[in-house]
Amino acid sequence: MIKRSILLGALAAVAIFAAPANAAEGTDRPHRESWSFAGPFGSFDQGQLQRGFKVFREVCASCHSANYFYFRNLAQPGGPGFSEAQAKVVASSYQVTDGPNDQGEMFQRPGRLSDHWPAPFPNEQAARVANGGAYPPDFSVLAKARSYHVGFPGFITDAFIQYQEHGVDYIHALLMGYVEPPAGTTVQPGLHYNTYFPGHQIAMPKPLSDGQVEYTDGAPQTVDQYSRDVSAFMMWLAEPHLDARKRIGFQVFIFLIVLSGLLYFTKKKIWKNIAH
Amino acid sequence: MEGHSTYQPQGKIARWFESRLPLVGLLHSSAVSYPTPRNLNYLWTFGGILTFMLICQIVSGIVLAMHYTAYAPVSFARVEHIMRDVNYGWLIRYIHANGASMFFIAVYIHIFRGMYYGSYKAPREVLWILGVIIYLLMMATAFMGYVLPWGQMSYWGATVITNLFSAIPYVGETIVLWLWGGYSVGDPTLNRFFSLHYLLPFMIAGIVGLHIWALHHVGQNNPDGIDVKSVAKDTVPFTPYATIKDVFAMVVFIMFFAWFVFYIPNYLGHSDNYIPANPLATPAHIVPEWYFLPFYAILRSVPDKLGGVLAMFGAIAVLAFLPWLDTSKVRSARYRPLFKQFFWIFAVVAVGLGYLGAMPAEGGYVIASRILTVYYFVHFLVILPVLGLIERPSVMPASIADAVLARGAKGAAAPGAKA
């Protein structure tokens, strides 16, 4: 009884102290979307990854690099499901710098599966100069490098419902978050108002608009669909072995449940005649 | 508790070897015939779980080190190489990263179990102090391991923690330069942290050896906190009784571990650590790993830098003096009605400090951390010494067997009651 009242008292104290902080954050909390790769049996939707790749390639990749993304990844299991031949075609449509050759000179050649995605700018300074001083972050692990504040008690329940999609929900919300600034807000020159960006002023202009990227599979060509698809693609980019992880996890759990059941009954039998 | 070995070498070679090095006899006496109190509950399985976690961390860590490079410009990329290109590298890294957290969850349960049942009291003071040393080494190892992926939290966490030493009067600044190997956290820091991160686990393993030796010398405490009076009546042999129970508990713990590794591998980490270290951009909130949060809250609650550092290290150091701060002769909280309540208050305070350590140091959070920090020390320095003098313990059974049989009789008299 006493234990319980102490716990309740502590929880109440925490709730009182926690309330003002949530209010102070001031940024809207991204909506939790439904993702095919969420939950214990989640896996990537190949069609979605292919669409997301198209958006990335035609829109995002003109400013953002993805240095840990290799052309060979396009054909690896658990990814967008391109064949090796298709991945080679994608690779060879880009020119990469190689060398030095026997004459000691660098040269251009078509990309191979073993090349990483060509960066749009040669270095950070070049990227900044081209983007009004801002550095477009590398896409490789960005979906895991972004998050939003959940707070108490949500962060505890998230462990039970296996919520790990903070990054993709944030990215989707951000891409959807370009709205007219509220009256009285002055947006700095070169910046753009975004509901979900911390501080609301983001250097990236609204990157997507309806009908911008052509889909051939009948998926709606809307900003909402584009941002969903590119967010899913970025999740795959950040966690390319997610499918295998969840599949093996299930096998491991089946094994552990059976093993622990057997051990439990063995333990019961051994201790049967021992009072303890 | 030594000298219980009933091992008789069978066969010529075994006898020849045993007379020259009684290794099998030692293993037999410590893991087979070693008498364990029959009333141990599942909280006593965490010693075995911790041994498992240490081995798990060392094995996964050795494999990771085969693929990792400690060099500031490439370390972040090398960790991503492990995650993407090394066969099952993602699995090994997630086991290692989450394994550190599991290690701390298990050690906190182990420590609080020791506090609740008075496992630190005579004759187990040295055993307890060895445990505090292991805990300190674990913290150092975990801290340095977190630096190795060279993400933003790695870099800035290392900057904050190493800067603590600058609070030491006169020599502080020099010590910090010496720790860094330069004028800021950088490549030399990363390299020495990698070296030490590889060394310390083996030091932990050595002290764990002493910890287990001391344990087997004095014997295990038990939930009733009564000494073993008769080996025949009060104890059961380690194998099969403790072995099967430990293995069962371990597998249940591995299930808990697997939940994190396979389904929420980044839950306990910070998203900022997937951003490569950048000395020019400070993260909005620098937060240490969850297992340091109570001490981080204590550090920040003191307005003075040196005072904060002293309070933080004092909060750990005070644990080593626990055997003498607790003046009660009764070990187990089962027979200490007042201490039992203060124990739970302390547990809530410790968790509360952990929560506050994760919050920004402003407004109500600062006031709350100050109150809880003061209480943390009052618990050890005032409440425990005074309690032992004024508390009237409840009546204790004469022996472990009596305690077990009394509970058994109560259970039989009232069917359905919890054993």
Side-chain angles (χ1 to χ4, degrees):
Chain A
M1 213 40 229
I2 294 169
K3 252 182 266 175
R4 199 164 304 156
S5 48
I6 292 169
L7 272 173
L8 285 177
L11 290 181
V14 162
I16 290 163
F17 286 119
N22 285 343
E25 292 283 323
T27 312
D28 284 352
R29 190 182 282 197
H31 181 254
R32 293 191 172 186
E33 302 296 328
S34 141
W35 301 102
S36 71
F37 46 84
F41 303 107
S43 66
F44 289 115
D45 172 350
Q46 284 193 351
Q48 185 170 47
L49 292 190
Q50 294 193 3
R51 292 195 301 273
F53 172 60
K54 196 158 196 275
V55 177
F56 164 72
R57 191 181 174 181
E58 292 177 16
V59 184
C60 319
S62 49
C63 296
H64 291 272
S65 62
N67 291 336
Y68 306 140
F69 173 38
Y70 288 79
F71 289 114
R72 62 181 156 81
N73 296 140
L74 288 170
Q76 86 188 12
F82 289 111
S83 67
E84 197 172 304
Q86 286 171 315
K88 274 182 183 158
V89 171
V90 175
S92 61
S93 67
Y94 291 87
Q95 290 291 312
V96 298
T97 308
D98 201 349
N101 62 13
D102 292 345
Q103 273 69 50
E105 279 155 15
M106 304 303 279
F107 59 92
Q108 294 289 109
R109 60 159 175 79
R112 298 181 195 135
L113 289 183
S114 55
D115 290 317
H116 75 73
W117 190 263
F121 301 105
N123 50 54
E124 182 180 335
Q125 287 75 2
R128 283 190 190 276
V129 142
N131 288 285
Y135 182 40
D138 187 89
F139 262 29
S140 309
V141 284
L142 202 56
K144 289 197 286 188
R146 292 293 181 272
S147 191
Y148 60 88
H149 183 73
V150 176
F152 183 81
F155 81 93
I156 294 176
T157 49
D158 281 351
F160 291 93
I161 61 168
Q162 299 185 352
Y163 179 69
Q164 280 273 276
E165 289 75 38
H166 303 77
V168 264
D169 279 336
Y170 169 77
I171 292 167
H172 172 259
L174 184 90
L175 292 171
M176 299 287 289
Y178 287 89
V179 292
E180 282 302 309
T185 314
T186 38
V187 180
Q188 301 291 315
L191 297 183
H192 309 271
Y193 189 84
N194 190 300
T195 327
Y196 295 98
F197 190 71
H200 298 308
Q201 312 219 2
I202 185 170
M204 175 170 72
K206 186 175 188 295
L208 297 165
S209 48
D210 289 346
Q212 187 179 358
V213 179
E214 194 193 343
Y215 280 165
T216 49
D217 63 353
Q221 300 180 150
T222 58
V223 172
D224 182 40
Q225 190 62 39
Y226 292 152
S227 27
R228 246 169 244 281
D229 293 346
V230 82
S231 303
F233 172 76
M234 288 171 74
M235 189 67 226
W236 169 72
L237 213 51
E239 190 79 10
H241 299 294
L242 182 144
D243 279 15
R245 167 157 65 77
K246 296 197 170 178
R247 195 180 59 243
I248 295 171
F250 184 64
Q251 294 162 351
V252 166
F253 263 91
I254 296 288
F255 171 78
L256 287 176
I257 287 166
V258 171
L259 178 63
S260 61
L262 294 174
L263 286 168
Y264 176 74
F265 290 111
T266 314
K267 189 253 162 198
K268 284 282 266 196
K269 189 165 162 57
I270 288 175
W271 280 83
K272 203 173 164 209
N273 295 318
I274 309 276
H276 57 281
Chain B
M1 287 265 171
E2 286 125 335
H4 290 286
S5 180
T6 50
Y7 173 66
Q8 293 295 332
Q10 301 293 318
K12 232 174 145 184
I13 299 172
R15 268 198 300 278
W16 180 89
F17 188 78
E18 195 66 8
S19 62
R20 280 152 184 83
L21 179 69
L23 183 67
V24 185
L26 175 71
L27 291 176
H28 187 271
S29 66
S30 25
V32 179
S33 64
Y34 174 64
T36 60
R38 61 196 282 181
N39 58 341
L40 297 186
N41 58 31
Y42 274 103
L43 290 171
W44 262 264
T45 59
F46 280 88
I49 289 170
L50 283 161
T51 314
F52 167 78
M53 283 316 306
L54 178 62
I55 295 167
C56 171
Q57 288 301 87
I58 289 180
V59 172
S60 59
I62 288 173
V63 179
L64 288 176
M66 292 174 189
H67 301 281
Y68 171 79
T69 308
Y71 175 51
V74 304
S75 283
F76 187 87
R78 288 304 283 179
V79 171
E80 276 311 309
H81 160 71
I82 292 171
M83 292 295 288
R84 289 155 184 273
D85 300 330
V86 172
N87 291 333
Y88 296 100
W90 55 271
L91 178 59
I92 301 163
R93 174 168 177 254
Y94 278 153
I95 284 176
H96 197 72
N98 286 287
S101 286
M102 296 302 126
F103 208 156
F104 275 95
I105 289 172
V107 93
Y108 282 130
I109 294 173
H110 195 64
I111 291 171
F112 276 99
R113 187 271 286 157
M115 287 180 172
Y116 187 82
Y117 295 111
S119 298
Y120 46 82
K121 292 184 191 181
R124 298 184 182 84
E125 302 95 322
V126 172
L127 173 61
W128 174 263
I129 291 170
L130 286 168
V132 175
I133 295 171
I134 294 171
Y135 176 48
L136 261 177
L137 286 173
M138 276 175 66
M139 294 207 277
T141 311
F143 161 65
M144 288 191 256
Y146 194 58
V147 175
L148 303 184
W150 211 239
Q152 275 288 69
M153 278 299 159
S154 301
Y155 182 89
W156 290 98
T159 303
V160 169
I161 301 298
T162 47
N163 256 314
L164 294 180
F165 292 91
S166 70
I168 302 168
Y170 307 113
V171 291
E173 300 287 339
T174 318
I175 289 178
V176 174
L177 284 188
W178 177 73
L179 283 174
W180 286 341
Y183 294 99
S184 67
V185 172
D187 188 53
T189 327
L190 174 61
N191 264 287
R192 62 191 56 189
F193 278 16
F194 182 44
S195 173
L196 293 172
H197 183 71
Y198 210 117
L199 168 71
L200 292 189
F202 296 97
M203 291 175 63
I204 294 176
I207 308 225
V208 165
L210 294 180
H211 191 67
I212 295 174
W213 185 11
L215 172 74
H216 284 223
H217 181 68
V218 296
Q220 283 162 294
N221 184 31
N222 58 78
D224 288 296
I226 315 167
D227 285 328
V228 169
K229 302 222 166 58
S230 147
V231 169
K233 283 187 192 152
D234 293 342
T235 72
V236 287
F238 192 87
T239 300
Y241 297 100
T243 326
I244 185 69
K245 203 169 161 182
D246 277 358
V247 171
F248 169 62
M250 205 178 286
V251 171
V252 172
F253 188 80
I254 292 172
M255 265 199 261
F256 175 71
F257 186 4
W259 183 271
F260 284 86
V261 169
F262 292 104
Y263 296 129
I264 47 172
N266 293 305
Y267 176 79
L268 295 166
H270 197 292
S271 57
D272 276 7
N273 225 27
Y274 280 107
I275 304 172
N278 182 355
L280 301 176
T282 319
H285 301 294
I286 302 176
V287 193
E289 288 280 81
W290 69 267
Y291 34 81
F292 295 132
L293 289 174
F295 301 105
Y296 194 56
I298 291 174
L299 168 77
R300 294 192 307 182
S301 70
V302 183
D304 173 65
K305 188 174 176 184
L306 179 60
V309 172
L310 288 177
M312 184 180 74
F313 286 109
I316 303 163
V318 74
L319 292 173
F321 297 94
L322 190 51
W324 297 277
L325 289 170
D326 185 347
T327 48
S328 172
K329 291 278 169 271
V330 179
R331 289 196 193 107
S332 173
R334 252 184 206 173
Y335 305 104
R336 298 187 60 191
L338 276 177
F339 169 75
K340 194 191 257 180
Q341 294 172 22
F342 282 106
F343 170 85
W344 285 110
I345 296 173
F346 175 74
V348 170
V349 165
V351 173
L353 279 170
Y355 178 79
L356 293 167
M359 294 297 116
E362 58 197 26
Y365 295 126
V366 177
I367 302 165
S369 359
R370 283 186 187 155
I371 296 169
L372 296 194
T373 299
V374 169
Y375 186 86
Y376 181 97
F377 286 102
V378 166
H379 175 82
F380 286 108
L381 301 176
V382 180
I383 295 174
L384 286 186
V386 172
L387 264 190
L389 304 176
I390 62 166
E391 183 180 45
R392 193 175 301 167
S394 44
V395 184
M396 292 173 62
S399 72
I400 292 173
D402 284 357
V404 168
L405 295 175
R407 270 193 293 280
K410 234 196 312 186
K418 266 175 93 181

